[in-house]
Amino acid sequence: MTPPVEQRVSDLRLDRRALRAERARVAWWRRLVRARLDLAVAQAARPQTLGEDVAFQLPLEVGLDVPRPAALAAVLAGTDPAADVGRLHELRALDEQLSAYAAGVEAALTRATDRLIVRLAVDPSVVVAGLREPLGRG
């Protein structure tokens, strides 16, 4: 083996290229393993249904984007990789629907936060009063 000091630049570039490719392969495999882990956990402890607890806090057009519980449950139903390949279009469409819903929820949260900040800025004394009130809609 040639000492590192004597290696040619072209050899060093080839080494870097090979190592970058390997880094990409490792990252890809890690992503796959994490995805499988997420699925295994989700099958054991299913996430709560989306949209139920915040139906009245969301604008109507955002609430219409929430995926149906059956569509989400179908994501966890099977773990056959061959079947998953056939469902790529369906999974991508569901992911796009989830993305639109997430953006709507994020926007609604931002508006709610902004309203809270404005309220607190207008009357800072409500902070102390608010600490004595229980959380909830009562």
Side-chain angles (χ1 to χ4, degrees):
M1 183 170 150
T2 309
V5 177
E6 297 176 20
Q7 284 183 318
R8 294 184 338 203
V9 170
S10 61
D11 291 339
L12 294 172
R13 287 182 178 158
L14 289 173
D15 288 349
R16 288 190 73 245
R17 181 178 296 156
L19 291 169
R20 283 194 317 266
E22 184 66 6
R23 179 180 62 187
R25 284 189 294 270
V26 169
W28 178 251
W29 277 106
R30 289 194 68 211
R31 182 175 169 205
L32 292 173
V33 169
R34 287 190 304 263
R36 276 293 174 200
L37 285 168
D38 287 347
L39 281 174
V41 169
Q43 285 174 337
R46 295 192 179 248
Q48 292 180 323
T49 303
L50 292 176
E52 289 179 349
D53 295 339
V54 293
F56 297 106
Q57 286 80 25
L58 292 173
L60 180 60
E61 67 275 6
V62 173
L64 294 174
D65 281 336
V66 66
R68 294 185 176 268
L72 294 172
V75 171
L76 303 176
T79 57
D80 178 19
D84 286 346
V85 169
R87 296 179 55 216
L88 284 178
H89 179 71
E90 176 188 340
L91 290 170
R92 284 188 181 122
L94 181 57
D95 185 52
E96 287 175 19
Q97 186 179 8
L98 283 167
S99 177
Y101 178 67
V105 170
E106 186 66 34
L109 175 59
T110 298
R111 286 191 303 273
T113 302
D114 290 346
R115 287 192 307 267
L116 176 62
I117 290 169
V118 167
R119 177 68 175 102
L120 294 175
V122 169
D123 187 4
S125 66
V126 298
V127 173
V128 175
L131 292 175
R132 293 187 192 118
E133 295 175 10
L135 290 178
R137 294 230 171 240

